[in-house]
């Protein structure tokens, strides 16, 4: 388990159903990954040393120095001990960044110059600029007019510059950064897989220092904190709308709100480089390719740069360029991706609001990692989960995974890139949870309700499995704190249930209202309380309990059909079945207490399933209020009944979802 809580992950949904936490994101995590790789490499190079001697030693240990995992732990602990005192020091916020990047894929190196402007929104004069440095570059040069370096801790990646004249409130300061990275000799392990010969994918945080002390880099693991004599800390700020300090940052950035980005990026003559925004122009110079991109709309300060030998598939949807950049050997799923982008935009622009960019791009990257991730207008997508396998026949699979992942990532253009949660518990409901719901709606339109049942069964399994393996405390959905089984899997089930109870139009109306209120707005950022309030506003009084049960508490049901039989009465069938319904509240440790049930639950009778579907045609369906544990129901059908069920589509979180339907006795 990674010791650093990493809130920067926008999407790590793993198609192989492993849901691996990936370590892509913040610099220290990247370093951590590198060091873990090196541990293995150290063993290998020791053996190799005996075989081929000093040459290996020179390359792995002299040219490419590294820190051990223990050393890295020390750095993180010392960073906190030395600089946490600056946590509340007012710092300016980045508002525009101009990148000039020269990428050399052939020798896995780059140079970049960044001209950025940061504005003082603190209301008080700022005398010092503090930076947490990026780990990736070999060298970082910062130039600030009329400022001098007064602290430079290479070891702890921290610098302080004193301004000759304080930066007044609402004034901006120019910060120039030059970075370079060269891969020398051969390494003990590949140190930075984000820049490769064909398929580079790195992001702005790999290049740029962040402003100020960054508490996201602190160790969150309790035992590790004890070992380093660090005081106890919460994993993340508790959900509390009155905690305005925590709400001044979104969970994606602690040094910026919405930024303008312009990029000139060059790469080798046979590659295409991509940066956020519209392509303004491209040209060739001395055998190298140059591209100038500019964001059409200000965005979260979190975006990527990519370069490879790409084929491009293009289409247009209502004036928006849809593009897939892929390796020409990997065209299998490209048409499906374009279709999902279109269907997603159709749903999201109809129900949520306008799409803010002039393009949407999916960009293949090598399978050093297996995830897809949404940046403004661009979606880097691992070849491992979307390109190298032919997934074009969704009937052969339960779910059209490619279609689903694209719909989920497209939804992040709204959920995370327009509405982004404050840096406290629950923020991932607003990004991952709502992206799941959005993708479910697009999928349901494309593939129908039966496929959704399969998908939701999987989500329920993952949630129930996740909570049984929780080593800390399960949180209610609106307080999720980096818990994927909650903000992906439980969120899917709960949002779908809410939609079934109050209607899709109402859920979409609430989400649209949230977007109108908080989309692209500066701090204080919204919390899951704001989102849940929007749901409450559109939910009738008799169904408010759904929100109390599913968002604010951990509520588990147990619904079961005990027996079912039918007899023919004239021209119809009379179906009688007995059910057991129980409701429990769980605490964070999994202790469950039975509470009275008073819920609307569906009962139904089905015909025999056809075409491999899990359920047959609905012969009778009724939503009833269940107020006690044991019940007997009678429904009439005109066709021969095959099975009876209570909560047959598993809308409710159920201890045992598979006993809700019973074949006729
Ligand atoms: Zn996501």
């Amino acid at each position: 388990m990674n010791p650093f809580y990493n809130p920067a992950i926008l999407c790590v949904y793993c198609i192989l159903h492993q849901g691996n936490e990936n370590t892509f994101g913040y610099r220290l995590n990247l370093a951590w990954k590198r060091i873990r790789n090196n541990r293995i490499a150290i063993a290998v190079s020791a053996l190799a040393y005996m075989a081929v001697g000093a040459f290996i030693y020179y390359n792995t240990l002299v040219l490419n120095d590294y820190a051990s995992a223990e050393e890295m732990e020390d750095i993180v602990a010392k960073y906190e001990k030395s600089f946490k005192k600056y946590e509340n020091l007012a710092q300016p916020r980045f508002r525009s960044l101009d990148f000039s990047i020269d990428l050399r894929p052939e020798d896995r190196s780059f140079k970049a110059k960044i001209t950025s402007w940061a504005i003082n929104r603190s209301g008080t004069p700022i005398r010092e600029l503090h930076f947490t440095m990026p780990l990736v570059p070999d060298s970082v040069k910062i130039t600030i007019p009329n400022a001098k370096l007064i602290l430079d801790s290479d070891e702890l990646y921290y610098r302080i510059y004193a301004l000759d004249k304080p930066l007044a409130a609402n004034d901006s300061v120019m910060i120039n950064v030059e970075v370079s990275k060269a891969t020398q000799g051969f390494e003990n392990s590949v140190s930075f897989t984000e820049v490769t010969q064909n398929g580079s994918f790195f992001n702005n945080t790999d290049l740029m220092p962040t402003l100020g002390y960054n508490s996201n880099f602190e160790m969150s693991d309790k035992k590790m904190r004890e070992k380093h004599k660090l005081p106890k800390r919460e994993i993340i700020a508790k959900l509390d709308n009155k905690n305005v300090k925590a709400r001044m940052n979104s969970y994606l950035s602690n040094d910026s709100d919405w930024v303008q980005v312009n990029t000139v990026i060059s790469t080798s003559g046979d590659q295409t480089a991509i940066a956020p925004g519209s392509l303004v122009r491209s040209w060739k110079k001395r055998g190298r390719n140059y591209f100038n991109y500019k964001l059409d709309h200000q965005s979260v300060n979190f975006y990527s740069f990519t370069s490879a030998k790409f084929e491009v598939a293009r289409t247009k949807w209502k004036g928006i360029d849809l593009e897939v950049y892929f390796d020409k050997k990997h065209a299998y799923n490209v048409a499906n991706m374009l279709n999902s982008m279109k269907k997603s935009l159709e749903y999201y622009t109809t129900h949520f609001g306008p799409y803010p960019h002039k393009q949407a791009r999916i960009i293949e990257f090598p399978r050093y990692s297996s995830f897809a991730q949404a940046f403004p207008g661009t979606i880097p997508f691992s070849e491992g989960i979307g390109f190298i396998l032919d997934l074009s026949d969704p009937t052969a699979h339960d779910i059209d995974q490619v279609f689903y992942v694209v719909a989920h990532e497209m939804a992040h253009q709204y959920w995370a890139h327009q509405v982004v949660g404050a840096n406290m518990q629950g923020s991932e409901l607003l990004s991952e949870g709502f992206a799941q719901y959005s993708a479910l709606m697009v999928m349901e339109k494309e593939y129908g309700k039966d496929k959704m049942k399969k998908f939701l069964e999987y989500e329920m399994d993952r949630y129930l499995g996740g909570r049984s393996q929780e080593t800390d405390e399960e949180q209610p959905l609106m307080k999720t704190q980096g818990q994927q089984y909650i903000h992906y899997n439980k969120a899917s089930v709960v949002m779908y249930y809410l939609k079934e109870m109050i209607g899709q139009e109402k859920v979409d109306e609430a989400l649209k209202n949230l977007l109108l209120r908080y989309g692209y707005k500066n701090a204080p950022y919204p919390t899951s309380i704001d989102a849940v309030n929007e749901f409450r506003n559109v939910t009738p009084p008799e169904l408010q309990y759904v929100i109390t049960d599913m968002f604010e508490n951990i509520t588990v049901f147990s619904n079961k059909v005990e027996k079912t039989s039918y007899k023919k009465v004239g021209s119809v069938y009379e179906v009688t079945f007995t059910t057991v319904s129980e409701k429990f509240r769980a605490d964070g440790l999994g202790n469950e207490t039975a509470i009275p049930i008073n819920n609307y639950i569906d009962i139904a009778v089905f015909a025999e399933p056809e075409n491999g579907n899990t359920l047959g045609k609905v012969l009778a369906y009724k939503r009833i209020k269940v107020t006690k544990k044991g019940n007997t129901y009678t429904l009439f059908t005109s066709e021969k009944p095959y099975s009876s069920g209570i909560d047959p589509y598993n809308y409710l979180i159920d201890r045992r979802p598979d006993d809700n339907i019973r074949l006729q006795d």
Side-chain angles (χ1 to χ4, degrees):
M1 184 79 193
N2 194 299
F4 303 103
Y5 173 66
N6 185 347
I9 292 167
L10 272 191
C11 194
V12 291
Y13 210 90
C14 183
I15 256 176
L16 301 173
H17 296 184
Q18 289 160 356
N20 291 330
E21 184 81 31
N22 98 42
T23 48
F24 178 80
Y26 280 121
R27 286 155 297 283
L28 290 183
N29 286 311
L30 186 62
W32 191 254
K33 180 172 72 177
R34 193 159 79 196
I35 283 148
R36 267 204 312 228
N37 290 342
N38 279 351
R39 272 180 162 171
I40 301 160
I42 288 162
V44 173
S45 66
L47 288 173
Y49 179 72
M50 287 186 271
V52 295
F55 179 61
I56 294 276
Y57 175 81
Y58 177 76
N59 268 285
T60 56
L61 299 183
V62 180
L63 284 184
N64 296 288
D65 56 316
Y66 56 83
S68 70
E70 288 73 20
E71 281 166 348
M72 197 63 209
E73 259 181 58
D74 273 348
I75 291 171
V76 173
K78 279 187 195 158
Y79 172 84
E80 180 177 340
K81 285 175 188 167
S82 308
F83 304 121
K84 192 168 175 73
K85 61 189 173 200
Y86 298 129
E87 189 176 15
N88 297 320
L89 190 73
Q91 289 291 289
R93 317 269 290 176
F94 286 118
R95 65 170 171 79
S96 77
L97 300 102
D98 239 296
F99 290 83
S100 175
I101 303 169
D102 288 310
L103 188 64
R104 304 191 67 86
E106 59 276 20
D107 53 14
R108 298 186 52 237
S109 67
F110 63 78
K111 284 185 180 160
K113 284 186 188 174
I114 304 107
T115 303
S116 65
W117 286 90
I119 182 168
N120 179 2
R121 292 205 176 100
S122 73
T124 56
I126 290 174
R127 289 162 209 286
E128 290 178 355
L129 299 185
H130 288 226
F131 295 95
T132 299
M133 307 300 286
L135 293 188
V136 169
D138 303 322
S139 75
V140 184
K141 187 177 158 199
I142 298 178
T143 316
I144 302 159
N146 306 315
K148 57 177 174 295
L149 183 63
I150 57 168
L151 181 141
D152 185 2
S153 173
D154 237 11
E155 186 208 358
L156 301 180
Y157 299 90
Y158 205 83
R159 285 188 202 172
I160 303 175
Y161 290 80
L163 297 168
D164 294 346
K165 202 174 116 226
L167 183 68
N170 298 317
D171 273 4
S172 291
V173 58
M174 184 167 68
I175 301 165
N176 294 299
V177 177
E178 284 180 52
V179 296
S180 65
K181 164 89 184 162
T183 306
Q184 298 172 22
F186 58 86
E187 305 168 287
N188 47 54
S189 75
V190 179
S191 67
F192 183 56
T193 54
E194 284 75 6
V195 175
T196 66
Q197 279 87 356
N198 184 23
S200 299
F201 161 33
F202 54 99
N203 72 41
N204 58 304
T205 61
D206 291 324
L207 306 179
M208 275 296 283
T210 52
L211 278 159
Y213 174 82
N214 196 335
S215 59
N216 288 324
F217 295 162
E218 293 171 5
M219 283 176 199
S220 57
D221 184 272
K222 279 180 197 158
K223 287 210 177 81
M224 220 178 258
R225 291 188 66 83
E226 274 169 28
K227 178 179 151 196
H228 290 276
K229 301 193 169 55
L230 291 164
K232 284 202 174 80
R233 98 191 257 276
E234 284 171 352
I235 291 174
I236 189 169
K238 291 256 181 282
L239 178 62
D240 175 8
N241 266 15
K242 292 195 205 77
N243 185 353
V244 177
K245 190 192 135 204
R247 292 182 61 197
M248 292 315 284
N249 287 314
S250 79
Y251 90 113
L252 290 178
S253 173
N254 73 328
D255 67 359
S256 48
D257 300 293
W258 307 95
V259 297
Q260 295 289 353
V261 179
N262 183 66
T263 308
V264 173
I265 181 166
S266 73
T267 185
S268 58
D270 55 355
Q271 296 202 4
T272 305
I274 304 153
S278 290
L279 180 63
V280 180
R281 68 187 187 108
S282 62
W283 65 99
K284 259 193 186 293
K285 203 168 101 184
R286 288 191 210 101
R288 288 172 55 77
N289 290 339
Y290 285 75
F291 305 86
N292 178 199
Y293 293 88
K294 197 175 187 326
L295 268 182
D296 301 308
H297 195 291
Q298 57 175 359
S299 292
V300 169
N301 192 15
F302 187 47
Y303 34 84
S304 59
F305 306 99
T306 45
S307 172
K309 292 171 198 162
F310 285 123
E311 294 284 307
V312 191
R314 298 172 203 273
T315 183
K316 260 190 192 289
W317 183 84
K318 294 192 177 173
I320 296 166
D321 292 318
L322 307 183
E323 301 167 345
V324 180
Y325 291 74
F326 62 102
D327 184 303
K328 66 169 183 266
K329 297 189 293 295
H330 302 161
Y332 311 112
N333 309 309
V334 169
N336 192 15
M337 288 177 168
L338 289 171
N339 181 40
S340 180
M341 287 163 104
K342 270 188 195 175
K343 298 286 164 61
S344 299
L345 284 174
E346 256 163 42
Y347 191 96
Y348 305 157
T349 56
T350 306
H351 298 275
F352 302 147
Y355 178 76
H357 305 289
K358 289 180 184 155
Q359 71 295 121
R361 304 187 179 107
I362 290 173
I363 304 158
E364 179 179 359
F365 70 88
R367 73 199 115 131
Y368 292 111
S369 303
S370 296
F371 62 90
Q373 191 168 27
F375 296 95
T378 58
I379 303 168
F381 203 121
S382 170
E383 62 174 359
I385 63 167
F387 286 91
I388 54 175
L389 278 179
D390 184 354
L391 301 167
S392 59
D393 179 16
T395 55
H397 309 270
D398 279 355
I399 307 295
D400 184 343
Q401 296 281 6
V402 169
F403 188 90
Y404 153 63
V405 174
V406 171
H408 174 106
E409 301 304 333
M410 288 295 289
H412 277 312
Q413 299 302 328
Y414 294 80
W415 314 120
H417 287 299
Q418 292 188 49
V419 168
V420 57
N423 193 21
M424 61 171 61
Q425 286 181 324
S427 59
E428 286 131 327
L429 170 65
L430 278 62
S431 48
E432 300 307 342
F434 294 167
Q436 285 294 82
Y437 166 76
S438 306
L440 284 169
M441 292 305 99
V442 179
M443 280 201 294
E444 185 169 73
K445 265 190 116 171
E446 188 78 359
Y447 288 113
K449 214 173 163 81
D450 198 76
K451 276 278 162 71
M452 299 319 296
K453 180 169 161 55
K454 283 183 183 158
F455 187 86
L456 291 166
E457 268 169 19
Y458 161 70
E459 294 290 75
M460 183 93 76
D461 273 1
R462 293 278 299 170
Y463 167 60
L464 294 174
R467 69 189 296 255
S468 70
Q469 287 162 22
E470 176 62 78
T471 53
D472 194 14
E473 246 186 85
E474 180 182 356
Q475 298 291 336
L477 177 56
M478 70 187 292
K479 291 184 181 173
T480 178
Q481 44 185 32
Q483 293 155 306
Q484 297 197 2
Y485 71 96
I486 298 176
H487 56 253
Y488 285 97
N489 310 119
K490 183 180 182 180
S492 291
V493 178
V494 168
M495 291 297 294
Y496 196 86
Y497 171 50
L498 181 67
K499 172 220 123 178
E500 285 300 322
M501 297 305 283
I502 68 171
Q504 173 222 310
E505 303 77 18
K506 291 290 177 197
V507 176
D508 290 346
E509 185 189 330
L511 290 174
K512 188 177 185 167
N513 289 340
L514 189 71
L515 203 60
L516 286 171
R517 198 158 292 174
Y518 295 105
Y520 288 125
K521 295 287 193 314
N522 281 347
Y525 288 94
T527 69
S528 57
I529 294 171
D530 300 307
V532 164
N533 284 343
E534 295 295 350
F535 292 136
R536 287 211 179 272
N537 290 343
V538 298
T539 300
E542 69 275 17
L543 291 174
Q544 291 282 333
Y545 74 86
V546 171
I547 294 168
T548 312
D549 281 351
M550 307 319 292
F551 288 88
E552 297 174 353
N553 290 284
I554 304 167
T555 307
V556 184
F557 293 82
S558 178
N559 283 305
K560 183 182 179 183
V561 177
E562 290 224 299
K563 52 180 195 255
T564 178
S565 59
Y566 67 91
K567 62 179 184 217
K568 197 152 188 197
V569 182
S571 62
V572 298
Y573 297 88
E574 184 187 287
V575 186
T576 302
F577 54 105
T578 316
T579 61
V580 175
S581 296
E582 292 174 280
K583 182 176 181 179
F584 305 90
R585 274 284 146 76
D587 65 16
L589 303 175
N591 303 310
E592 291 175 357
T593 312
I595 58 169
I597 195 162
N598 198 12
N599 289 52
Y600 290 97
I601 302 179
D602 297 345
I603 53 170
V605 177
F606 297 91
E608 190 167 358
E610 290 169 348
N611 307 325
N613 286 342
T614 43
L615 286 175
K617 188 169 78 173
V618 175
L619 302 179
Y621 206 96
K622 208 169 172 187
R623 181 160 291 172
I624 40 151
K625 192 160 197 180
V626 177
T627 54
K628 61 185 201 307
K629 187 173 169 182
N631 296 285
T632 300
Y633 302 107
T634 301
L635 293 173
F636 293 92
T637 67
S638 54
E639 291 175 39
K640 193 178 166 193
Y642 178 78
S643 62
S644 306
I646 180 160
D647 188 28
Y649 290 105
N650 293 122
Y651 296 145
L652 293 163
I653 304 282
D654 200 313
R655 281 170 159 183
R656 274 202 63 185
D658 60 359
D659 61 5
N660 291 20
I661 293 166
R662 189 179 170 95
L663 304 187
Q664 301 303 336
D665 295 321

